[in-house]
């Protein structure tokens, strides 16, 4: 879904997701942008699809106020799926989450 560019900018109200009514975001495919994020996963000798994504929300005060990083990660996955018109990634497949909150940035 991100064949043409490793970055996509999305405006507000993507996917009719309530938390994104006024919040936009950028999606970055870090594997394509930085060698240190290149991930190759194998299971029983077969390549397993893996994504290393960064999602930066803007105008996101209500999201920054969420205390639960997993809740922010799940919202990010829903936003990515809606923006790229793909099936949502199962949150149970998340290996790592890092949430940085920059209020009023």
């Amino acid at each position: 879904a991100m064949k043409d560019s490793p970055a996509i900018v999305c405006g507000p109200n993507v996917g009719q997701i309530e938390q994104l009514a006024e919040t936009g975001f950028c999606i970055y495919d870090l594997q394509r942008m930085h060698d240190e994020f290149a991930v190759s996963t194998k299971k029983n000798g077969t390549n397993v699809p893996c994504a290393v994504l960064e999602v930066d929300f803007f105008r996101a005060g209500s999201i920054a106020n969420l205390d639960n990083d997993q809740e922010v990660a799940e919202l990010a996955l829903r936003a990515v799926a809606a923006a790229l018109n793909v099936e949502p990634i199962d949150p149970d497949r998340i290996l790592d989450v890092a949430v940085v909150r920059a209020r009023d940035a």
Side-chain angles (χ1 to χ4, degrees):
M2 295 180 71
K3 290 180 184 179
D4 296 332
S5 173
I8 294 177
V9 178
C10 303
N13 208 30
V14 168
Q16 304 299 313
I17 299 170
E18 180 182 343
Q19 297 92 327
L20 302 181
E22 295 184 15
T23 300
F25 57 97
C26 297
I27 306 167
Y28 301 98
D29 180 347
L30 296 182
Q31 291 186 94
R32 291 177 53 199
M33 296 175 74
H34 304 287
D35 290 340
E36 66 264 26
F37 291 107
V39 175
S40 176
T41 58
K42 291 190 180 262
K43 186 174 185 177
N44 300 324
T46 303
N47 283 335
V48 176
C50 180
V52 179
L53 301 176
E54 177 176 325
V55 179
D56 292 345
F57 293 104
F58 48 90
R59 292 184 49 122
S62 63
I63 296 171
N65 289 332
L66 296 173
D67 291 330
N68 184 325
D69 287 357
Q70 188 65 29
E71 189 175 350
V72 175
E74 290 175 13
L75 175 60
L77 291 177
R78 288 179 34 224
V80 167
L84 301 178
N85 198 28
V86 297
E87 290 294 317
I89 297 170
D90 182 348
D92 290 337
R93 298 186 66 191
I94 295 174
L95 301 178
D96 187 29
V97 172
V99 176
V100 177
R101 291 166 177 85
R103 289 172 177 82
D104 302 321

